Amino acid sequence: MQISIGARTLMSDVNFRVQKGDKIGLVGRNGAGKTTMTKILAGEGQPTDGKVIRSGSIGYLPQDPRAGDPEQLAMTRILNARGLGDIVERLNQASIDMASDDPIVHEAAMNKYPRLQAQFEAAGGYSAEAEAASIASNLGIEQRMLSQPLKTLSGGQRRRVELATILFSGAETMLLDEPANHLDVDRVVWLRGFLKNYQGGLIFISHDVELVESTVNKVFYLDAYRQVIDIYNMGWKQYLKQREQDEQRRKRERQIAEQKASVLQRQADRFGAKASKASSAQQMRKRAEKMLTGLEAVREQDRVAKIKFPDPAPCGKTPLMARDLSKSFGSLEIFTAVDLAIDKGSKVVVIGLNGGGKTTLLRILAGEETPDTGLLEPGHGLKIGYFAQEHETLDVNKTVLQNMQYSAPQLTDTDARKVLGSFLFTGDEVDKPAGVLSGGEKTRLALATLVVSGANVLLLDEPTNNLDPASREEILRALATFAGAVVLVSHDVGAVTALSPERVLIPPDGDEDHWSEGYEELIGLSGRYAFETRRAPSFFIALSWIAMNRNVDHAYRLENQEPVSNEI
C-alpha cells in the first residue's frame, strides 16, 4: 500500500495483516499520516497504490465524529450498532398507541407490538440494552444524556457516544483514533480493561502512554522521514528498547558505509588524475555509490512547532464583560445568571462537570451562539481569538493556506507561508484541504490562525487535544508568555497549571474564585460525571473542602446532596 497527499508520500511499500487478538498501537509524529491511514483502512478513502482487503465488521472512531442523525437520541444511536435502537423506539410508540382511545390506532398497535417484541428479543433484547447502558455509564454518559438528541450534546459528550456505539457493536475489528480524548482518568482505566479483554483485531492511535502500554501487543511505527511502517511484534516497553537499538544500528551502518565510501572516493579522485588509471577510478566511484545505495535512512529529529504569540492588539482595562448569561436546551438548563469580567492580560480557567456548559459558555463569549438571557459588553479594542475543540472555526473545504489567508487577509502569501512553516506546514502541505488533516494538524492550523489574529482575548476549548507531547509543551510555553487575556477550558491538569491562572469560573451558577492548587484535583474530577448534580456529590464536596481548608472567598455549595463516604 502507498499513501500520498499531493506530491508528498506519507508511506510506501506497506504490507501487514490484522488478525483476531492483535492489539496494535499506531504511533508516529503528528502529521505522519496515522489518521489518514486509519481512514483508508476504514474504507473512507483509497490508497494511492495497492489495496486494502477487509473482512468482517469494522468499527471506526474518527477524531471528529459527526455520524448519526442529529435528532436521534443518544441511546438509540448506541443501540442501533446492533439494530436495536429503532426497534426500541417503535416498541415505545406501540406502547403509547395501545393506550389510544382510537380503536384503529389501538388495534394496529396491539398487532404490531408482538412482532416488534420478537425482533427485539432476537437482537439480544433486554440483556443487550443493559450492556449498552453499562458501557455508556462506564464512559461517563449519564442516563439523562442518553435520552437527549445528539444535537444537544457537547463535542466531548458526542464523541463518547460514538465510542460507546463502537464498543457495543461487537465489531470484529476496531480502528480507534484517540479514544481517550474527553475521558477522565477513571474512564480511561475502564477503557484499558475493555480493550485488553477485547477478542477482535484492534488498531488505535493514542497519546495516552499508559493506555498504549497496558493494551498493545504489537506496534506499528510510522516513520515520516523514511516513509515506511516498522512493525514490532512486541509490547510497548520492548518496542521502545528495540526501536532505539534499530536507530543506533542504522546510524552505525551508515557511518561505516560513509567512511568506506569516502576513502574510495578520495582514491578515485587521486587515480582520476592519471589517464592510465581512469578506468580504476571509475570503478571505485561506482563501488562508493553502491555502498550508499540501499542504506536505510537515519531518522531525523522530529520537528516541533515553533510558536510565539505577538503582542496583542491594544485594548481597555476590561476588554470583555458578560452580565446575567443563561442558556437552556429545551427543558435542560445548562447555566444561569453568569456574570464575568475578563480583564486585560488576565488568565481564567473554566472548570465544571461534563455537560455543565463550559463549551457553550465559550461559544457565547466568542459570538458563535446566542444566550437565552443576558448580554455581552465588549470593551474598548476587544479582539477575540476562539479555538473550538471540534475545530469548527476551520473551513474544511479550504486549503491550509486559504484558511490562514482568510483569518489574516493582511498577510502576503509569503508571510502566510512563513507562519505556517513555523507550525510545521511546509511546501505542498499548505495546499492540502483542511478536511483531510489529522486532529493534531487541525489543532496546529487553528492555533496558527490565532497567532496572526492579533487577538487580545483568547478563548481556548481543549487546545491540547490530539497533540504529541513535544507540540503540547511548545503550545503551553507560548500561552504562558502571551501578554493578552486567556479563558481556558481543559481537562489537562498540566495545561491549566502551565497557564498559571489567577481566577476560576465554575458553571452552572458562574461562581468565581481565586485559583489555588486545590482546584487541580477538581479538573480531573470534573470529567468523571456528566452534569447531573445528584450523581456528582464528590465534586461539590471537594469544592466545599477547598473553601474550608484554603480560605477560598466563595464556596460552591449545593444543598441536600446524597452522602458519600469514599468518593474523594
Side-chain angles (χ1 to χ4, degrees):
M1 178 175 67
Q2 177 179 325
I3 300 176
S4 301
I5 296 180
R8 179 188 172 207
T9 298
L10 297 177
M11 64 193 79
S12 60
D13 296 324
V14 171
N15 299 278
F16 61 82
R17 180 192 298 268
V18 180
Q19 297 179 319
K20 183 178 179 180
D22 285 344
K23 312 284 177 61
I24 300 165
L26 178 59
V27 301
R29 68 166 175 82
N30 278 147
K34 304 185 297 295
T35 290
T36 302
M37 177 175 145
T38 54
K39 284 182 179 178
I40 289 172
L41 295 180
E44 296 194 0
Q46 294 297 323
T48 308
D49 196 12
K51 58 184 178 180
V52 178
I53 301 172
R54 304 174 189 85
S55 62
S57 55
I58 294 177
Y60 172 49
L61 177 72
Q63 285 191 4
D64 297 318
R66 293 279 192 268
D69 178 357
E71 301 293 336
Q72 192 177 55
L73 299 182
M75 188 57 166
T76 302
R77 172 69 180 163
I78 297 171
L79 289 172
N80 268 343
R82 296 188 193 174
L84 278 165
D86 292 336
I87 297 175
V88 169
E89 286 196 344
R90 288 156 62 196
L91 272 171
N92 291 338
Q93 186 59 50
S95 297
I96 295 171
D97 291 345
M98 283 192 294
S100 173
D101 294 332
D102 187 327
I104 297 177
V105 172
H106 171 81
E107 184 67 24
M110 290 291 291
N111 293 330
K112 185 186 296 182
Y113 193 91
R115 294 197 303 271
L116 291 172
Q117 183 70 27
Q119 292 176 26
F120 177 69
E121 292 175 356
Y126 295 106
S127 62
E129 196 172 19
E131 181 186 349
S134 175
I135 290 173
S137 176
N138 282 305
L139 290 175
I141 306 170
E142 296 290 338
Q143 186 64 40
R144 172 192 54 78
M145 197 191 307
L146 291 173
S147 60
Q148 290 179 227
L150 293 174
K151 67 179 183 181
T152 67
L153 303 182
S154 69
Q157 292 170 333
R158 181 76 174 268
R159 201 169 197 278
R160 280 181 279 141
V161 168
E162 290 306 307
L163 179 57
T165 301
I166 292 165
L167 300 186
F168 175 66
S169 71
E172 295 171 74
T173 304
M174 293 196 299
L175 307 171
L176 307 179
D177 196 345
E178 297 289 358
N181 274 1
H182 303 288
L183 298 182
D184 70 274
V185 174
D186 288 350
R187 309 308 177 195
V188 174
V189 169
W190 178 85
L191 181 62
R192 283 183 215 157
F194 186 97
L195 296 181
K196 198 169 183 178
N197 294 322
Y198 174 63
Q199 299 299 308
L202 169 67
I203 295 180
F204 73 104
I205 303 166
S206 180
H207 289 110
D208 187 314
V209 175
E210 292 184 1
L211 176 62
V212 175
E213 182 179 331
S214 65
T215 304
V216 305
N217 54 28
K218 290 185 178 182
V219 178
F220 287 3
Y221 172 61
L222 177 49
D223 192 323
Y225 180 58
R226 293 163 51 231
Q227 301 169 353
V228 298
I229 288 182
D230 293 327
I231 296 177
Y232 294 85
N233 295 310
M234 58 191 68
W236 180 251
K237 290 184 177 179
Q238 297 93 328
Y239 149 74
L240 292 176
K241 293 178 182 177
Q242 186 61 52
R243 179 180 148 198
E244 181 61 28
Q245 292 173 7
D246 289 346
E247 295 292 349
Q248 293 301 322
R249 173 185 55 78
R250 280 193 286 268
K251 189 174 181 179
R252 287 194 304 269
E253 289 175 352
R254 175 163 284 278
Q255 288 174 342
I256 293 170
E258 286 174 344
Q259 290 171 359
K260 291 181 178 180
S262 179
V263 170
L264 282 172
Q265 188 64 49
R266 287 196 300 269
Q267 289 178 341
D269 292 341
R270 289 198 301 271
F271 282 16
K274 300 178 181 179
S276 61
K277 294 187 176 181
S279 177
S280 296
Q282 184 66 20
Q283 290 178 356
M284 288 179 182
R285 289 192 180 95
K286 288 182 178 180
R287 285 171 58 196
E289 290 175 2
K290 188 175 181 180
M291 283 182 178
L292 298 178
T293 301
L295 274 179
E296 292 189 44
V298 178
R299 182 174 64 93
E300 293 182 336
Q301 188 70 27
D302 286 342
R303 298 180 299 162
V304 177
K306 299 298 181 184
I307 304 169
K308 185 179 187 305
F309 285 95
D311 291 335
C315 65
K317 181 181 178 181
T318 306
L320 179 61
M321 293 184 67
R323 298 184 187 277
D324 197 35
L325 297 182
S326 66
K327 186 68 177 181
S328 299
F329 291 108
S331 60
L332 178 64
E333 187 177 79
I334 303 299
F335 54 77
T336 181
V338 172
D339 298 323
L340 77 158
I342 306 300
D343 295 328
K344 181 179 179 179
S346 63
K347 305 296 188 289
V348 180
V349 60
V350 184
I351 67 173
L353 303 174
N354 280 326
K358 303 184 296 294
T359 291
T360 302
L361 177 61
L362 253 63
R363 286 179 58 80
I364 289 173
L365 295 179
E368 298 289 324
E369 201 161 317
T370 304
D372 295 336
T373 66
L375 52 88
L376 297 177
E377 297 181 8
H380 173 70
L382 172 65
K383 195 166 188 180
I384 285 178
Y386 173 49
F387 179 93
Q389 66 169 281
E390 300 298 322
H391 308 114
E392 298 98 323
T393 55
L394 300 178
D395 187 335
V396 295
N397 296 313
K398 291 181 177 177
T399 66
V400 170
L401 181 59
Q402 287 170 340
N403 270 279
M404 173 62 75
Q405 291 170 329
Y406 178 80
S407 299
Q410 76 278 8
L411 292 182
T412 65
D413 185 83
T414 300
D415 288 340
R417 288 176 181 271
K418 284 181 180 178
V419 175
L420 289 171
S422 69
F423 283 83
L424 309 185
F425 295 104
T426 58
D428 292 339
E429 292 176 340
V430 303
D431 297 320
K432 291 195 296 186
V436 305
L437 300 180
S438 69
E441 289 175 311
K442 286 179 180 176
T443 294
R444 283 192 274 117
L445 176 56
L447 288 168
T449 63
L450 290 186
V451 164
V452 299
S453 69
N456 44 41
V457 176
L458 296 181
L459 307 174
L460 307 179
D461 194 355
E462 303 287 359
T464 58
N465 276 359
N466 305 314
L467 290 177
D468 59 75
S471 296
R472 172 183 172 276
E473 290 302 315
E474 181 66 15
I475 286 167
L476 295 182
R477 183 202 59 75
L479 285 175
T481 59
F482 176 58
V486 178
V487 181
L488 174 68
V489 170
S490 181
H491 288 104
D492 182 342
V493 177
V496 173
T497 54
L499 183 66
S500 299
E502 298 125 20
R503 289 187 294 147
V504 180
L505 181 68
I506 310 170
D509 292 336
D511 285 3
E512 278 194 76
D513 200 356
H514 297 295
W515 171 261
S516 68
E517 292 181 359
Y519 280 108
E520 291 180 16
E521 62 187 281
L522 289 188
I523 296 168
L525 186 62
S526 66
R528 187 171 300 175
Y529 303 99
F531 181 63
E532 189 167 331
T533 57
R534 300 190 67 81
R535 290 185 177 272
S538 58
F539 182 81
F540 303 102
I541 291 173
L543 278 171
S544 297
W545 181 87
I546 292 171
M548 291 185 293
N549 291 278
R550 299 185 182 275
N551 297 317
V552 178
D553 295 333
H554 301 287
Y556 188 67
R557 307 178 188 277
L558 289 182
E559 296 179 355
N560 302 319
Q561 294 298 311
E562 295 174 352
V564 179
S565 60
N566 60 354
E567 283 289 324
I568 300 177

